[in-house]
Each structure stands twice: as C-alpha cells, then as structure tokens.
Amino acid sequence: QKEVEQNSGPLSVPEGAIASLNCTYSDRGSQSFFWYRQYSGKSPELIMSIYSNGDKEDGRFTAQLNKASQYVSLLIRDSQPSDSATYLCAVPPRAGAGNMLTFGGGTRLMVKP
Amino acid sequence: DVKVTQSSRYLVKRTGEKVFLECVQDMDHENMFWYRQDPGLGLRLIYFSYDVKMKEKGDIPEGYSVSREKKERFSLILESASTNQTSMYLCASSPTSGGANEQYFGPGTRLTVT
C-alpha cells in the first residue's frame, strides 16, 4: 500500500458546486496533514493544514480529518473555474521522520463554467 | 510571507555537464528540501538538510549531490547531467517545531538535458 493515496481524477464539477477531494494514508501515527494546490506548470502552494480530528474551515475550503479511518478530505465550496488545479495531500511518512513529508500523486480538479 | 527563490526558471544543459541549482529562503528555516516532479511519478525527494552542513538522502539521491554552507541556501548539484534528469526541480523549506511542519516551495526550475 502506498503511504499516501489519492484518486488521480480528473474530478469534474460544475461552477458553484462542492468539490470533494479525498486522501488516505497508511501510518496510524501521523499527526500532521497538509493540502497543497498546484496549477499547471507552477509549484505547489500550501492551502490548508490540519492536526486534529474533525473539520477545519478557511474561507471556501474545509479540511476534514478522521484518524481512525486514516483519511483526510478537502471540500471546496462554491467551486470556481480558478480552482481548477491539481490538489496534493501531504503526510509525514512515518513516526520519527522528522520534517519530511510524503506527497500523494494528486487529484486533478476541473471546474466547468 | 515565506519566500523561497530558485536561481533559474528554465535551464537547458548538455549531457555530461555539471549543473548547479540554487535555492534561497528568507524565513530562517532550519529544513530545506530538493524534489523532482515528473508526470505520473509525483513529487520525489532527492535530498534534504536539517541544518547547515547537514544532509540526508531522500528517495532518489543517485546522480545528485547537495551543499548547504549557509542556513538560507541549499544547492543541488548534478555531477554529470543525463537525459533522464530532465525534470521539474522544486526546492522547499520548513521550520522545526515539534513534528512535521508545512513546507513552502520555490517556483521550480524546469531543467532540460539534451
């Protein structure tokens, strides 16, 4: 099993809809979880971090963490065409890995006007 | 805001050349990372450094070396460039406080080796 798994997509949603992006991870001891957005040809940009079970909201973005089920989700409300990008989930690879992160392969999101 | 800069956005080199990629961060971060990103293979860690003059191999260190003489600067060196090193190279930095922290990326260098 890969350490961090994401559906590669593309996930296509209409403008104004909720986009739901999912990520599963293998290390039960992981404590930190991050979502990055990457536009085509650009570098990843941090958009959310979450450390505790439950939801964390920031504007149109909500991160959801369920440690028992080992998944973390990103919801994007009122999706806009400018949200079209690849979204990367990042998790520490294992306990004691210091400051390393393992990145999932990313989910490509397409928001259609 | 955290700022991570990389010396070049685009670079074209010939096979066998020695290539230097420079990365500078202005947030006094202890940790710096070099990744390469290829279609279908995602982000792969080449090397990282958690302190000046310290370095650790990542998942794919073969054919690369690094140098960190100052805290703000982390260099990636391709000793003898090969065509299979054509890729997007991304530098990142992160602070140290407890467990893993968020990494901040530079704009990337797209390297083509011909």
Side-chain angles (χ1 to χ4, degrees):
Chain A
Q1 182 190 3
K2 287 185 181 177
E3 291 173 321
V4 183
E5 295 209 51
Q6 297 180 255
N7 188 320
S8 61
L11 173 66
S12 183
V13 301
E15 184 174 356
I18 296 175
S20 178
L21 306 162
N22 299 312
C23 170
T24 59
Y25 59 93
S26 59
D27 183 7
R28 286 191 170 275
S30 295
Q31 299 293 322
S32 315
F33 306 87
F34 306 96
W35 282 100
Y36 288 81
R37 176 177 62 200
Q38 186 174 24
Y39 292 113
S40 180
K42 303 294 185 182
S43 61
E45 173 193 11
L46 178 71
I47 54 172
M48 290 286 286
S49 58
I50 187 166
Y51 304 95
S52 304
N53 271 334
D55 295 0
K56 178 182 178 183
E57 189 174 315
D58 183 0
R60 294 187 297 113
F61 298 100
T62 298
Q64 299 177 317
L65 175 60
N66 184 323
K67 289 186 179 180
S69 300
Q70 294 174 244
Y71 79 78
V72 56
S73 300
L74 180 70
L75 301 179
I76 306 174
R77 289 184 301 281
D78 188 24
S79 295
Q80 301 296 309
S82 58
D83 294 325
S84 297
T86 296
Y87 290 80
L88 305 172
C89 171
V91 180
R94 58 192 174 278
N99 288 274
M100 288 195 294
L101 294 175
T102 294
F103 289 80
T107 298
R108 185 172 159 222
L109 173 66
M110 297 171 59
V111 181
K112 305 210 168 194
Chain B
D1 279 351
V2 175
K3 192 163 185 185
V4 181
T5 57
Q6 295 183 229
S7 49
S8 305
R9 292 299 308 274
Y10 300 94
L11 208 53
V12 180
K13 294 292 182 180
R14 293 190 180 273
T15 301
E17 280 193 82
K18 191 168 186 175
V19 182
F20 294 86
L21 302 181
E22 301 279 331
C23 176
V24 177
Q25 51 96 3
D26 68 357
M27 282 303 293
D28 202 35
H29 285 169
E30 292 81 6
N31 307 288
M32 297 187 76
F33 308 82
W34 275 107
Y35 297 88
R36 62 178 285 178
Q37 188 174 35
D38 302 286
L41 296 177
L43 274 166
R44 293 181 291 169
L45 181 64
I46 304 171
Y47 268 97
F48 70 99
S49 169
Y50 53 89
D51 201 351
V52 175
K53 296 193 185 293
M54 306 303 290
K55 61 185 179 185
E56 294 283 346
K57 293 180 180 179
D59 300 318
I60 51 164
E62 297 77 18
Y64 303 95
S65 62
V66 291
S67 172
R68 192 164 181 203
E69 297 296 318
K70 293 186 177 181
K71 190 175 185 179
E72 68 270 18
R73 188 179 298 268
F74 192 33
S75 302
L76 180 69
I77 303 148
L78 286 67
E79 296 291 341
S80 177
S82 63
T83 55
N84 63 13
Q85 292 178 311
T86 291
S87 186
M88 169 72 98
Y89 288 88
L90 292 159
C91 175
S93 73
S94 76
T96 295
S97 58
N101 292 286
E102 61 274 15
Q103 295 181 12
Y104 298 91
F105 286 86
T109 295
R110 187 164 293 280
L111 173 67
T112 302
V113 182
T114 61

